[in-house]
Amino acid sequence: MTVRRRLREHTVAVLVTPPVEPFELALVCEVFGRDRRYLADPWYRMLLCSAGSAPVAGAIDGLTIACDHDLDDLARADTVIVTPYPDSSGPVAADVIGAIRTAHRRGARLVSICTGAFVLAAAGVLDGLRATTHWLHTDELAARYPAINVDRDVLYVDEGRVLTSAGSAAGMDLCLHIVRLDHGAEAANTLARRLVVPPHRDGGQAQYVEAPVPEADGVTPMAATLDWAIAHLDRPLTVEDLARRTFMSPRTFARRFRESTGTTPLQWLLRQRIVLAKRLLETGDTSVDLIAVHCGFGSATAMRTHFRRQVGISPIAYRRTFRREVS
DNA sequence: TAATACTACCGCCACA
DNA sequence: ATTGTGGCGGTAGTAT
């Protein structure tokens, strides 16, 4: 096996439009704008782009964002990220639409955060695709662009060349997803840990956001093992099993595991098992006992204990509240 | 709920 | 000399 070297950096152009929402812009900058060569080398080259590279007013008094790059730079980028477009019902400037269409034609990856989806919609690049936006605006998006298949219940939608994400913080989930695609599960997990992205948040729908999960993408032995473990949660997995699978001694495995995931193997397993349990509770009507078996808990009692500890409510109560309506 | 039997975790340290 | 490895053993955590 030979070491592959990327020929050049991957350019990420961020479309900055007034009024800039600092939170969403910051989240993009944290992922793509910082020097993270410790994760992958080269990392990304991030460009803040505005029409005529003019400074852009922020949504907060006294906040102004200087942009060194213009729409031509945006049209040439490998990935274009559209930050929120608070005036979602307002028109989108023709030169912005033009730049996005050019990028799209060139094969660039297009990404929107929150209401940035309205800019992509206006450019017509979402027609015929699934997409999402902030839940306050999903109805409006669906009504104004009937050709778009709007998904209201997801954090983000990956349609390959076009990716859209839901409200504010879901943008972080999408950015991590992109890092995972480009650099693998391990880099994404390490970054999530570095940014201290919470496994779940309290209050409202956000409480039930699931922790990012590695995808089938065996870039490193560790990532491959994580993927494998997620696919075999029903088995009684021990640290020794996982270590052997990763071709390491248990001791080294434990160390490496903490480095890439931020937790210990058992704690991580318990978390993944609960994530799976939640999914099964939401979607089907499998009994709690059977779900416990499917998730690799020795008993329903054991599952209930861990479920309560992590989620705060019982499995049955969770199902009652979050069963997906079949619409 | 309590007792018992595991397994996991992690500091320590010799060694490559 | 520096850095990573992996066995050991005490304690903490989990399973039944």
Side-chain angles (χ1 to χ4, degrees):
Chain A
M1 238 209 289
T2 57
V3 178
R4 267 187 308 163
R5 231 171 258 285
R6 280 185 182 75
L7 294 177
R8 64 191 192 87
E9 292 171 307
H10 184 113
T11 305
V12 174
V14 181
L15 175 64
V16 184
T17 52
V20 180
E21 292 294 341
F23 180 76
E24 284 83 353
L25 179 61
L27 141 192
V28 170
C29 293
E30 279 301 316
V31 173
F32 299 104
R34 289 195 185 272
D35 180 358
R36 300 201 184 278
R37 278 175 295 180
Y38 63 89
L39 288 173
D41 195 2
W43 192 237
Y44 301 91
R45 193 164 82 94
M46 191 190 80
L47 316 174
L48 295 181
C49 305
S50 66
S53 56
V56 182
I60 306 293
D61 277 347
L63 175 71
T64 303
I65 303 296
C67 293
D68 287 341
H69 301 272
D70 59 19
L71 297 176
D72 289 337
D73 296 312
L74 184 133
R76 279 194 290 268
D78 300 302
T79 292
V80 173
I81 299 185
V82 182
T83 53
Y85 199 69
D87 183 19
S88 59
S89 57
V92 179
D95 50 355
V96 168
I97 288 180
I100 285 175
R101 284 184 178 154
T102 303
H104 188 242
R105 223 177 297 121
R106 284 187 40 258
R109 178 168 58 191
L110 305 182
V111 179
S112 73
I113 313 280
C114 196
T115 48
F118 282 87
V119 175
L120 296 183
V125 297
L126 287 174
D127 289 349
L129 300 180
R130 291 197 311 129
T132 195
T133 185
H134 193 289
W135 57 270
L136 271 174
H137 299 279
T138 48
D139 288 344
E140 184 191 350
L141 185 66
R144 281 178 55 196
Y145 299 99
I148 302 174
N149 183 357
V150 178
D151 197 333
R152 285 147 231 262
D153 281 323
V154 294
L155 287 174
Y156 57 81
V157 175
D158 177 352
E159 284 282 41
R161 285 175 58 198
V162 188
L163 304 89
T164 51
S165 63
S168 311
M172 177 59 85
D173 296 282
L174 179 53
C175 289
L176 288 171
H177 173 71
I178 290 169
V179 169
R180 191 174 298 121
L181 292 173
D182 292 347
H183 300 292
E186 220 177 329
N189 288 345
T190 306
L191 178 55
R193 182 181 168 230
R194 190 68 159 251
L195 295 175
V196 197
V197 180
H200 65 85
R201 290 163 258 137
D202 291 331
Q205 50 178 192
Q207 179 177 357
Y208 296 94
V209 168
E210 287 168 2
V213 148
E215 294 212 336
D217 169 317
V219 175
T220 67
M222 179 60 78
T225 297
L226 298 184
D227 292 341
W228 179 86
I230 283 172
H232 299 90
L233 289 174
D234 57 313
R235 303 190 191 183
L237 304 170
T238 67
V239 171
E240 209 188 321
D241 294 337
L242 298 177
R244 225 194 323 271
R245 244 184 184 283
T246 322
F247 310 108
M248 294 177 190
S249 71
R251 187 69 188 83
T252 297
F253 177 75
R255 269 196 286 250
R256 284 294 149 76
F257 196 94
R258 178 167 280 286
E259 284 163 14
S260 25
T261 67
T263 30
T264 64
L266 181 59
Q267 293 310 310
W268 181 87
L269 270 177
L270 289 172
R271 223 166 56 217
Q272 300 307 323
R273 287 184 160 134
I274 292 299
V275 167
L276 176 59
K278 283 162 75 177
R279 204 154 49 222
L280 295 175
L281 287 165
E282 285 167 19
T283 53
D285 51 3
T286 317
S287 72
V288 172
D289 286 76
L290 256 180
I291 290 178
V293 172
H294 268 114
C295 299
F297 291 102
S299 66
T301 312
M303 182 175 107
R304 275 187 271 266
T305 305
H306 289 292
F307 201 96
R308 273 211 107 85
R309 189 182 300 171
Q310 282 185 50
V311 188
I313 57 178
S314 72
I316 292 298
Y318 181 86
R319 164 171 279 168
R320 238 192 338 265
T321 318
F322 292 95
R323 158 167 277 136
R324 293 259 160 82
E325 276 80 33
V326 195
S327 50

